[in-house]
Amino acid sequence: MRMRLSEFDMPMKRMEAEFSLYPSSATETAVTFTVFYEMKMGGLFGTLLGATVVHRRLAKMAARVLDGLAHHVATGESVGGS
């Protein structure tokens, strides 16, 4: 499943996130969560900002998303707002 995100507080032109699920054993499913983004500013500054600050923030966000997915799968409870 791929999603295009339209509201974010980071300096990006666009951001998309993708979930991929595949069986890892007879009883388990592996999940990958990949984020694709394009910085608003180009050149060296945009590349450095994307590779440092933005990358760390996105890694933390991905961890929260995957933790929420694990909680939902384990409990059936809705996770997050709205």
Side-chain angles (χ1 to χ4, degrees), residues 11-77:
M12 289 182 252
K13 278 188 205 177
R14 68 177 184 87
M15 183 166 51
E16 296 178 5
E18 180 177 83
F19 283 99
S20 299
L21 298 105
Y22 52 93
S24 59
S25 74
T27 60
E28 296 180 340
T29 299
V31 178
T32 60
F33 180 66
T34 308
V35 178
F36 306 90
Y37 62 92
E38 181 180 353
M39 299 298 294
K40 280 184 182 175
M41 58 230 60
L44 182 60
F45 181 71
T47 300
L48 288 173
L49 185 64
T52 56
V53 176
V54 172
H55 182 80
R56 281 194 304 268
R57 287 184 68 189
L58 290 176
K60 288 178 184 177
M61 179 196 70
R64 287 192 313 269
V65 167
L66 292 173
D67 287 346
L69 177 61
H71 179 80
H72 174 70
V73 168
T75 66
E77 296 175 0

